[in-house]
């Protein structure tokens, strides 16, 4: 995810302080990985330097001055271009799990245990996401569905690999 583009998009509704941007980001997109304040302010500095935001006001407080940022026309254009650009599909051709399975076989270890442990971990996470989906709002339901569909695809790969494990072991040991 492009944090810069996301913050720019959040600014399109009106100027905000860094604290407010972090809170809005975390509420909408950061359930599992909230932003650190340092990320927000370093990103805002970069966006300011690149002319995508301006400082709309500064307020004195009990601590450091609070800057209020506003998106520029260039920032709006940049977000529009980013939104219109399709994301590159990630085919996972070099997955860590695949590497573990092949290395286990290359070193004479069994890979069944690796596949079983991974299957159990996937199922555990799927149960957790299903609970979150059931209790969540529409945004939560959609992000959980996205993750669940990817996990289901991983499970299919785990089953297929388990079914072909003997053949794979023969090939990698040649």
């Amino acid at each position: 995810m492009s944090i810069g583009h996301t913050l720019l998009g959040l600014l399109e509704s009106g100027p905000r302080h860094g604290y407010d941007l972090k809170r809005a980001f975390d509420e909408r997109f950061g359930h599992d990985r909230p932003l650190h304040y340092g990320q927000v302010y370093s990103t805002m500095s970069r966006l300011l330097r690149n002319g995508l935001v301006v400082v709309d006001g500064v307020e004195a407080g009990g601590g450091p001055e609070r800057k209020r940022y506003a998106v520029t026309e260039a920032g709006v254009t940049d977000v529009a271009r980013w939104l219109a650009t399709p994301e590159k599909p990630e085919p996972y051709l070099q997955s860590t799990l695949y590497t573990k399975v092949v290395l286990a076989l290359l070193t004479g270890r069994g890979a069944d245990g690796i596949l079983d442990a991974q299957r159990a971990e996937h199922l555990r996470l799927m149960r957790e996401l299903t609970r979150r989906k059931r209790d969540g709002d529409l945004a939560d339901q959609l992000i959980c569905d996205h993750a669940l569909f990817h996990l289901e695809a991983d499970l299919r790969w785990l089953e297929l690999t388990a079914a072909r494990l003997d053949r794979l072991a023969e090939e990698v040991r040649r």
Side-chain angles (χ1 to χ4, degrees):
M1 174 187 330
S2 170
I3 293 170
H5 287 111
T6 305
L7 294 177
L8 285 172
L10 290 171
L11 282 172
E12 283 194 37
S13 65
R16 297 183 192 208
H17 296 98
Y19 173 84
D20 297 326
L21 284 168
K22 178 196 173 352
R23 194 176 69 233
F25 181 98
D26 289 351
E27 285 174 8
R28 297 272 184 204
F29 313 108
H31 292 288
D32 297 320
R33 214 179 301 159
L35 283 180
H36 296 284
Y37 285 104
Q39 281 180 286
V40 173
Y41 293 109
S42 64
T43 301
M44 295 313 295
S45 292
R46 186 175 36 62
L47 295 173
L48 187 62
R49 186 178 60 246
N50 293 337
L52 302 176
V53 298
V54 294
V55 175
D56 187 57
V58 178
E59 298 170 9
E65 292 180 331
R66 292 182 46 175
K67 294 178 184 174
R68 188 175 54 246
Y69 299 95
V71 66
T72 63
E73 284 302 315
V76 171
T77 301
D78 199 50
V79 171
R81 186 178 0 207
W82 178 67
L83 290 172
T85 304
E87 290 297 307
K88 180 181 176 193
E90 296 183 28
Y92 305 108
L93 292 177
Q94 290 297 324
S95 84
T96 303
L97 182 55
Y98 172 78
T99 301
K100 286 182 173 185
V101 168
V102 171
L103 279 176
L105 296 173
L106 280 172
T107 59
R109 293 177 173 93
D112 289 324
I114 293 170
L115 295 172
D116 289 343
Q118 194 64 51
R119 184 180 305 104
E121 183 59 19
H122 270 61
L123 291 171
R124 182 201 62 75
L125 182 55
M126 289 175 83
R127 284 189 297 275
E128 182 180 312
L129 288 168
T130 300
R131 273 192 300 278
R132 178 175 162 186
K133 178 181 161 181
R134 183 185 59 236
D135 299 335
D137 59 11
L138 181 58
D140 239 10
Q141 292 169 12
L142 289 171
I143 196 66
C144 287
D145 279 338
H146 185 265
L148 285 164
F149 293 151
H150 281 273
L151 290 168
E152 287 173 4
D154 288 349
L155 280 176
R156 286 194 310 270
W157 181 85
L158 288 165
E159 296 305 320
L160 179 66
T161 302
R164 295 178 174 173
L165 207 49
D166 290 338
R167 249 180 60 211
L168 182 60
E170 288 175 22
E171 283 189 24
V172 299
R173 290 180 184 151
R174 281 191 234 163

